[in-house]
Amino acid sequence: MRSKAAMALAGLCLVLSACSSPPPAAPGPATSGAPEPTSTGWSSSGVPREAAEAQPLPVGHCGQAPGEFKANVYQGTPDTDCREARAALVGLAKGDGDDSGHVDGHGTDIEGWSCVFPMDAEVKAYALTLVCEKGRQRFFVRPATVAVPAGYHVEPWNYHAEGAGSGSELYFTTETRKHHCSYIEDRIGCDNHAFPDDLPTVSHMGAQQQPTAIELESQGRPRFTAYGDPVYSLASASGEWGADTEVLGYGQLLLVRGIACTVDRERGVVCTNGDHGFEISSSDYALH
């Protein structure tokens, strides 16, 4: 079925400033169902071998989308096969998607993948144009102009929450639940529930004190600051900070309004806006 899927793909192409002419035909399928190797071959991860040998891709990166899409493909899980993701995109470009199971017109199925086309506001806020899932596999498509660090991508809408903490759109906590952060407008912030003791003091209400939060906007350098109460934490119904907040797991990547955050076992919460960023754990910190 081509109707809604083809229309959605056309919108995707416009967003990515691509598809000015019909995409090339897909390579002939190999016995595994993945695209057959080209003259340059494919790496074991499913990335064209020429690209893989030229410069190893960061964790979670599949490389450039096939055809004329001016976009890049990313893994949502370590199990995601980049070759299968690229093959699905070739099929979508040909209009092979079946949208019969997506009555709202914002999704399609292709080669076993269930794909969602984000709404316009989500495309703008999350720099995300397509998410597809099949079993334990998940891949994401983003415009090639977006700076994306290493990590396995997560769906931002899973981090929407309402609670007694603040009016933020998205919240996340770490697996240890020591650090609680949220995106508010064009910045990310994390409250000081378990920061190191040797932080530089900041001015608050005419006096110097330990910071209560760290912040990073979509542009500029990070900063420590102070508020009267936690600003970036979500309180549960029991009053415990972060008890009901969605966890951003180790190695996972959340990208919102140009700010990417991940969690590292050693460095703690790591956020960057492309040029600058911060790392904060219970024992150390770094500002870039």
Side-chain angles (χ1 to χ4, degrees):
M1 182 176 295
R2 300 173 58 93
S3 57
K4 294 179 181 177
M7 291 173 62
L9 183 65
L12 170 63
C13 294
L14 289 174
V15 169
L16 297 179
S17 299
C19 296
S20 55
S21 59
T31 56
S32 64
E36 187 173 303
T38 63
S39 59
T40 57
W42 294 73
S43 70
S44 59
S45 63
V47 177
R49 188 178 303 281
E50 185 178 69
E53 291 177 350
Q55 182 176 1
L57 293 171
V59 170
H61 288 228
C62 286
Q64 185 175 351
E68 295 188 5
F69 291 109
K70 295 180 180 178
N72 291 326
V73 186
Y74 303 93
Q75 294 170 300
T77 68
D79 298 321
T80 303
D81 189 315
C82 292
R83 286 172 294 189
E84 290 192 29
R86 293 170 60 87
L89 290 175
V90 170
L92 285 176
K94 294 168 61 180
D96 292 342
D98 178 3
D99 64 336
S100 60
H102 301 265
V103 295
D104 58 1
H106 290 286
T108 191
D109 297 328
I110 179 76
E111 298 184 11
W113 295 91
S114 178
C115 300
V116 174
F117 298 97
M119 304 293 286
D120 290 346
E122 294 172 326
V123 171
K124 182 178 180 180
Y126 308 141
L128 181 60
T129 53
L130 183 68
V131 180
C132 296
E133 185 172 0
K134 180 172 70 172
R136 295 173 59 89
Q137 300 190 74
R138 188 180 304 112
F139 73 85
F140 295 69
V141 178
R142 301 184 187 275
T145 55
V146 178
V148 181
Y152 295 107
H153 296 224
V154 297
E155 296 152 309
W157 42 83
N158 289 341
Y159 293 82
H160 283 285
E162 295 181 2
S166 72
S168 171
E169 293 182 31
L170 297 102
Y171 296 87
F172 69 85
T173 187
T174 59
E175 293 192 21
T176 61
R177 297 196 181 274
K178 290 182 177 180
H179 304 290
H180 310 290
C181 309
S182 64
Y183 289 86
I184 296 180
E185 297 177 349
D186 63 347
R187 69 182 186 275
I188 180 72
C190 302
D191 286 319
N192 183 358
H193 294 283
F195 286 179
D197 295 328
D198 60 344
L199 301 179
T201 60
V202 297
S203 177
H204 180 63
M205 300 184 69
Q208 292 292 308
Q209 67 166 68
Q210 282 289 296
T212 66
I214 188 170
E215 297 175 336
L216 176 69
E217 296 184 352
S218 56
Q219 294 182 340
R221 296 180 179 275
R223 62 179 178 272
F224 286 110
T225 188
Y227 298 100
D229 297 301
V231 172
Y232 299 105
S233 306
L234 181 68
S236 66
S238 64
E240 182 181 358
W241 294 112
D244 299 328
T245 304
E246 188 76 17
V247 171
L248 185 64
Y250 294 119
Q252 292 185 323
L253 184 74
L254 179 59
L255 179 59
V256 179
R257 301 185 193 92
I259 304 174
C261 289
T262 187
V263 181
D264 182 85
R265 292 183 183 275
E266 300 296 329
R267 297 181 293 161
V269 178
V270 181
C271 296
T272 176
N273 60 14
D275 297 319
H276 304 288
F278 67 79
E279 305 169 13
I280 190 82
S281 70
S282 298
S283 59
D284 203 0
Y285 72 93
L287 307 181
H288 306 292

